[in-house]
Amino acid sequence: MKASRLAAVGALTGTALFALSAPALAHVTVQPEGEAAKGGYAVVDFRVPNESDTASTVKLEVSFPTEHPLASARPEPIPGWDAKVRKTKLDKPIELHGRKINEAISKITWTATGKGIEPGFFQKFTVSMGALPEDADELVFKAVQTYDDDEVSRWIEVPQEGQEEPENPAPVLALSEAEEGHHGAAADDKSDDTEKAAAETTTEAADSDSTDTTARVLAVVGIVVGALGVAYGVLAGRRRTSA
C-alpha cells in the first residue's frame, strides 16, 4: 500500500511539474546553428510551436533590435510561407566592412500561403544575419504570432537578469566571444566545406586509381601464371609421349 501511494504521489508531482513548465517551453525562441560570435555573421533558427488545440499559426512577425542594428538578414525559403524583409532608415549611419550603412533590418514577416503551423506541430524559420554587434552579449527579437482564428500571442517581454522569466518572453539570442582571427562568416564555413569536399574527392580518386592499378597488376600476373601453367602442361605431355 505504501509503495502504491508513493508511486501515485510521484506521478501527480511529475504531472504538476510538467504542467508548470509547459508554458515556458511553448514560447517562440531563437537559437544559432553553430555559434553566433560577436562581430560576425550567424545562421539562426526562430522556433515557433503552435499552442492552440484548434487553430493554426498563419503569421510570424519578428522585430529586429534597434539599439544594435543589423545591416543584413536573409530568410531561408520555406514551402508554404512567404517572407518579407523590412528595412528602416538609420538616424545615424553605421560602418560595416569599411562601408557606411544607412539602412538596417527592422522586421521580417512570414505569412502562410498554405495551412500554416497546425495544432500539435512547430515550424523553424531560418535566417542568415549580421554583422552581429561587438559591444553586446545578447540580442532581443520581439515576436508576434497570429492564428487563423485571429488570436494573437505577443512574445515581447524582455527577460531581466536575476528575475523570473516573464509570462510572454521575447526570443533572446546569446552572443559568444569572437575567436581571434575568426569572423563567423557563413561564406567562410561554405568555403571550408567546399575545400573539405574537394579534398575528400581527391582522396577517393587517388584510392580509386590505386585500386584500379592493383587490379590490373593482379590480372596481368594471373594471365602470366595461367600461360606458364599451360606451357608446363604441354611440355609435360610431350615428355610422357616421348617416354
Side-chain angles (χ1 to χ4, degrees):
M1 290 294 291
K2 288 183 179 180
S4 61
R5 287 178 182 174
L6 287 173
V9 171
L12 289 173
T13 303
T15 303
L17 289 174
F18 178 78
L20 290 173
S21 63
L25 297 175
H27 58 262
V28 176
T29 60
V30 59
Q31 294 292 333
E33 293 186 2
E35 67 172 8
K38 297 178 181 180
Y41 287 77
V43 176
V44 304
D45 297 328
F46 291 94
R47 299 181 183 183
V48 183
N50 193 85
E51 294 186 291
S52 175
D53 295 328
T54 57
S56 297
T57 297
V58 292
K59 181 186 286 188
L60 174 69
E61 299 169 85
V62 175
S63 296
F64 278 57
T66 56
E67 66 277 15
H68 298 290
L70 301 181
S72 174
R74 299 180 181 182
E76 182 178 48
I78 303 174
W81 292 84
D82 177 63
K84 291 191 183 314
V85 180
R86 182 191 299 176
K87 291 186 177 182
T88 300
K89 202 89 170 177
L90 294 174
D91 295 332
K92 183 180 179 180
I94 59 175
E95 189 169 331
L96 181 64
H97 300 310
R99 295 189 300 119
K100 292 287 185 180
I101 304 298
N102 297 314
E103 293 182 325
I105 307 299
S106 58
K107 180 184 288 188
I108 299 181
T109 301
W110 288 270
T111 305
T113 57
K115 295 182 179 180
I117 310 171
E118 297 182 273
F121 291 87
F122 87 99
Q123 178 69 53
K124 183 172 66 174
F125 298 87
T126 302
V127 180
S128 173
M129 63 175 64
L132 302 177
E134 299 179 358
D135 57 348
D137 295 323
E138 61 184 26
L139 294 177
V140 178
F141 298 86
K142 296 182 179 181
V144 177
Q145 181 180 6
T146 304
Y147 293 84
D148 59 9
D149 62 356
D150 294 330
E151 182 180 347
V152 177
S153 294
R154 302 181 184 277
W155 308 104
I156 59 175
E157 297 177 359
V158 180
Q160 301 297 327
E161 187 176 354
Q163 298 183 12
E164 292 185 1
E165 185 176 67
E167 185 177 353
N168 298 295
V172 177
L173 176 66
L175 304 182
S176 60
E177 295 295 332
E179 296 180 10
E180 188 175 352
H182 176 67
H183 300 288
D188 292 343
D189 294 338
K190 290 181 180 178
S191 177
D192 292 342
D193 291 341
T194 303
E195 292 177 4
K196 186 185 295 183
E200 291 175 352
T201 302
T202 303
T203 302
E204 290 173 359
D207 293 342
S208 177
D209 291 342
S210 177
T211 302
D212 291 343
T213 301
T214 303
R216 289 170 186 163
V217 172
L218 291 176
V220 172
V221 171
I223 292 172
V224 172
V225 171
L228 290 175
V230 172
Y232 178 78
V234 171
L235 289 175
R238 289 178 179 176
R239 287 176 182 173
R240 288 173 186 166
T241 303
S242 300

